[in-house]
Amino acid sequence: MLDLGRQPSANRFLARADIAREFMFRLAIGMCHSCTMVQLIEDVPEEIRYHDGYRYRASGSATHRRHFARVARELLATELAGPNPFIVEIGCNDGVMLETIARAGVRHLGVDPAKEVTELARERGVNVLDAFFGDSVAEGIRAEHGSADVIFGANTVCHIAYQDSLLRGVDTLLGPDGVFVFEEPYLGTVISQMAFDQIYDEHVYYFTARSVQQMAQRYGFELVDVGRSPLHGGEIRYTLTRPGRRRPSPAVGELLADERHRGLADPVTFQRFADAVAKIRDDLLTLLRDLRDRGSTVVGYGAPGKTATVTNYCGIGPELVPFVVDSTPAKQGLLVPGSHLPVRPPQAFTTANPDYALLFAWNHADEIMAKEQAFSRRGKWIRYVPDVRVG
Ligand code: TMP
């Protein structure tokens, strides 16, 4: 479908001394003809993606903190309202969701291999097992804690390449009436927003209701609900149960029909997407070269994983964008993988007083615009999805 060339592991921010050893792979996606699952052609070993120096912090924005507190409260009021409930989160990161569950005194366990991040979760009172979730880990959890009423994942289920082990693990651990709920980037959003920068090594799968339904059936589950989540530009939350346990909500049929109508498993749709992505690259490079030649200054705003994809695919280095600012302390002082743009703290943005800001963290635009009103009055924002715009 789309080849984004040689790319690094997107959240493997690195020091200058480590450039020579940097891991690279071919970032390209394709679709399975039988189940329509869109996925990476080449995947990066999980130990390279999630390690002790993993830099992503799920609590990095007020929007995320509010969202996950709301998700936790909803689960507490519904699926976790019975006697002595138990919830397991796959990839709990810094505890942004489980913190609310822990404070409510409900039995819980986060499973996450990135120790530096899970330390933050522990500080918030969250129980964590440092491991990759899979069938044998699930057996161990069940033996120690019993079956789970809820297995939850947010921006983690699509990260797991080994779907067999993941779904067998869910089968082992989930109680007979339990739910497996996960919210993940949506292929429909990636295509409608031209959000090609959502494609990076951590996102192994790009779900649709149709491909998730096929996945569920293959492992003895049923897709019973879908809902929209506002994070990362617009995601879908999927709910799976064991077959026949709940009547599927009308939203499932509606989303499946919408996907058929939009051609989300149709090669023509992907060809159009690939053409539009190539145009974004050409337009963005032309603009940045123009600005440099005219002596204008450009600073990158935010260094999410997406930054690696867009800068490496377009060939944007420090000669066009001398640095990016990001509020995550763990990223500051390091370089964006592959393109090696230095990451500095947000104060550097004010000090540099640039003419233009290239908005890499575009999914946080509202929060950032509210914070950067002074810049907006004199400087200009550059956006590149769904197309290149200055304003
Ligand atoms: P995310 O889209 O994967 O959550 O990553 C967003 C990144 O943007 C994260 O590294 C934090 C950063 N960020 C800022 O630097 N300033 C901000 O105001 C916000 C909201 C995020």
Side-chain angles (χ1 to χ4, degrees), residues 33-53:
H33 284 292
S34 59
C35 73
T36 75
M37 184 71 82
V38 170
Q39 54 201 273
L40 294 186
I41 302 287
E42 208 178 280
D43 68 281
V44 175
E46 60 197 15
E47 295 77 11
I48 291 181
R49 292 185 277 144
Y50 311 104
H51 42 82
D52 289 354

Side-chain angles (χ1 to χ4, degrees), residues 16 284-293 296-303 307 310-312 314-326 334-336 338-344 349 352 354-360 382 384:
R16 203 161 286 283
L284 186 56
L285 262 185
T286 305
L287 172 67
L288 292 175
R289 285 178 181 152
D290 248 33
L291 293 177
R292 177 195 53 193
D293 295 347
S296 301
T297 48
V298 181
V299 167
Y301 204 106
T307 314
V310 58
T311 54
N312 288 292
C314 298
I316 298 169
E319 71 291 350
L320 292 177
V321 179
F323 65 92
V324 302
V325 290
D326 192 284
L334 297 174
L335 306 174
V336 171
S339 56
H340 306 148
L341 309 183
V343 185
R344 300 202 180 143
F349 186 65
D355 302 312
Y356 293 83
L358 176 52
L359 186 60
F360 290 118
I382 302 172
Y384 55 89

Side-chain angles (χ1 to χ4, degrees), residues 56-133:
Y56 183 67
R57 305 289 181 263
S59 293
S61 80
T63 316
H64 280 201
R65 291 192 294 275
R66 270 197 305 273
H67 172 76
F68 287 113
R70 190 167 54 238
V71 168
R73 284 196 302 271
E74 272 170 28
L75 289 172
L76 286 169
T78 54
E79 308 295 341
L80 298 171
N84 197 20
F86 179 45
I87 175 170
V88 172
E89 182 174 9
I90 301 174
C92 65
N93 198 271
D94 57 11
V96 66
M97 197 284 284
L98 284 182
E99 181 181 14
T100 305
I101 305 276
R103 261 197 265 116
V106 165
R107 288 195 305 135
H108 65 275
L109 185 66
V111 185
D112 195 308
K115 287 203 187 79
E116 204 176 289
V117 194
T118 57
E119 231 11 82
L120 300 171
R122 289 193 176 89
E123 283 165 18
R124 294 177 174 149
V126 170
N127 304 323
V128 186
L129 174 68
D130 288 315
F132 289 99
F133 184 88

